[in-house]
Amino acid sequence: MTQASSRPPPNLQPRPKAFPTFSNTSLAAISTATPPHISRSSSRSRHSSPARPVRLSDASEKATAALVRRVLCPHSHASGTTEPRPLDELLPPLTSSNDVDLQLYAIIAIVVKDLVHSWYGKITPDQGFVEEVVKIVAHCTRALEGRLRHVDLESLFFDEIPNLVEGHITTYRVSHQGRNPPPLSTDPRIVYHNLNPHPALSPVPNPAVASTVSEQRDHEAEYRQLLVQGALAVLLPTEDLENTCLRTLVADVIAESILGNAIGGKVCEGYFIWGSISKLVDVVKARVESKTTGEEIEVDTRSRLEKFGLLAEKGKDRGPNEQNGRSTFLSIFWRILQYGYLTFITIRFVIVGLIAASSEPMRSSTTSKISNTAEMLPMEKTIEPPCQPYPILGFRIFPLISSLLDLSSRMPWLSGSLALLQHHLIHGPFQAGATDGILDQ
């Protein structure tokens, strides 16, 4: 009792000059630590350390960076400094974006942790082998990014990929058009693979014959190895290709873990695609629903007497003929305004498009610049100069849309008319849709 009475009151106790900072402590230690007493009369301390909300993205980025440091840079704190060096100084760049590099290094860290440290860590704690693997992967990604910058994206997305999809759709429909009765019919899968043979998918696996299943898996694994070995031969320099151990390890990791297990075993499955689409729809729907404007909130401007029918609303005391005439006049007036505005927008779109197309560079001039650059390169690295660019109206995206809608069977007259119009625009007298034409630009 005497000790409790002799203690000075809390408001007279000296408070600490500054709060302790925890730079390398765990979350458990921070949560169990007792906060110091803060006087309410001190407004300076409240303004000096404002509470900042921690976003989920920041926490995930810190966790990702911690994973990368723990797996790929375990000796980054060897110098004894309190602040670690940034990752872009410890690891070679993978791409031209730091955000993309962080995510790619997280994937590399997971692969190295599961496939390399599981057996290499038992042999030696040296990190030289892991560093060489990271350097090879970084060289491949930088070379791949450099090649992707010179890819003709419009031809890739509007001509080559639609051509593959259209061929798949046509072959699928032909293989499922069974014209023979069941005793004489053929499996649609066998018909499809006979029309589109592929070395990685042959023979067609038959559950009744176990040897076909194992043989098809072996062919697929060998084809993945050939793909990766060919890509490494193009992307890696000569001195790295001569290192057989590293090249084999990187090829096995990419072929089996990434292409085989991740892409072939999960990403290409129907449940993964359906789940990804569902998550994307949920994210977009949440963003759209969260945006509420004043126009969506219905405001009732009527008075209480008008709500409960004790007072006639505005406009109800007028006769029906006057209301009908005025409503008809207003509807006609607004319809004329709508059609006039639509016509103005259409004419403006055509004029602005023609002006912008005339100022754009021609596609053939870009192709000639690429061919001149290819001629200036050394002989062993030259690429064949590309041919004349194909007109955009001749891309396979339009036949793909026709195949998806099945216009040739449902409305053959519309399909023929569109094909005739396309032919006249490309090969007609004016050639408006030909290469470097007004529509092509």
Side-chain angles (χ1 to χ4, degrees), residues 30 37 40 55 173 253 304 346 348 355 368 439:
I30 295 175
H37 181 77
R40 290 188 178 183
R55 295 181 299 177
R173 289 175 179 175
V253 168
R304 293 186 177 182
T346 305
R348 181 178 178 273
I355 296 174
S368 62
L439 294 180

Side-chain angles (χ1 to χ4, degrees), residues 102-120:
L102 180 61
Q103 304 302 326
L104 290 179
Y105 270 124
I107 298 175
I108 295 173
I110 294 173
V111 172
V112 169
K113 180 182 177 182
D114 295 340
L115 300 179
V116 178
H117 283 176
S118 59
W119 59 270
Y120 186 75

Side-chain angles (χ1 to χ4, degrees), residues 255-430:
E256 299 300 329
S257 301
I258 298 178
L259 295 181
N261 298 333
I263 298 179
K266 294 181 180 180
V267 178
C268 294
E269 295 295 332
Y271 69 90
F272 185 87
I273 299 175
W274 181 259
S276 303
I277 295 175
S278 301
K279 291 180 181 179
L280 182 62
V281 170
D282 293 339
V283 170
V284 174
K285 186 178 179 181
R287 290 184 179 181
V288 171
E289 290 180 352
S290 62
K291 295 179 180 180
T292 57
T293 59
E295 297 178 358
E296 298 176 359
I297 303 174
E298 186 178 356
V299 180
D300 195 356
T301 58
R302 298 179 301 172
S303 62
R304 293 186 177 182
L305 296 177
E306 293 176 352
K307 287 181 182 179
F308 296 102
L310 300 178
L311 182 64
E313 298 182 7
K314 297 179 180 180
K316 288 294 185 68
D317 53 347
R318 300 177 182 177
N321 296 330
E322 185 179 356
Q323 290 183 0
N324 293 335
R326 187 166 185 177
S327 61
T328 305
F329 174 75
L330 288 176
S331 62
I332 295 174
F333 175 74
W334 286 112
R335 183 164 298 180
I336 292 173
L337 285 182
Q338 290 175 359
Y339 282 117
Y341 181 73
L342 181 61
T343 306
F344 169 75
I345 290 296
T346 305
I347 296 174
R348 181 178 178 273
F349 173 76
V350 173
I351 295 175
V352 171
L354 292 176
I355 296 174
S358 60
S359 61
E360 289 291 330
M362 294 186 179
R363 298 171 62 201
S364 58
S365 61
T366 307
T367 306
S368 62
K369 290 181 181 179
I370 296 176
S371 61
N372 294 334
T373 307
E375 292 176 359
M376 293 163 48
L377 293 174
M379 292 299 295
E380 61 271 12
K381 292 187 178 181
T382 54
I383 305 173
E384 294 183 1
C387 58
Q388 186 74 9
Y390 204 65
I392 294 180
L393 286 180
F395 284 170
R396 301 301 302 177
I397 184 67
F398 304 106
L400 173 61
I401 297 174
S402 177
S403 299
L404 289 175
L405 299 177
D406 200 8
L407 292 181
S408 59
S409 300
R410 297 180 178 179
M411 291 182 287
W413 57 271
L414 180 59
S415 177
S417 302
L418 293 177
L420 182 62
L421 178 62
Q422 180 187 18
H423 177 77
H424 280 290
L425 288 175
I426 297 176
H427 305 285
F430 299 103

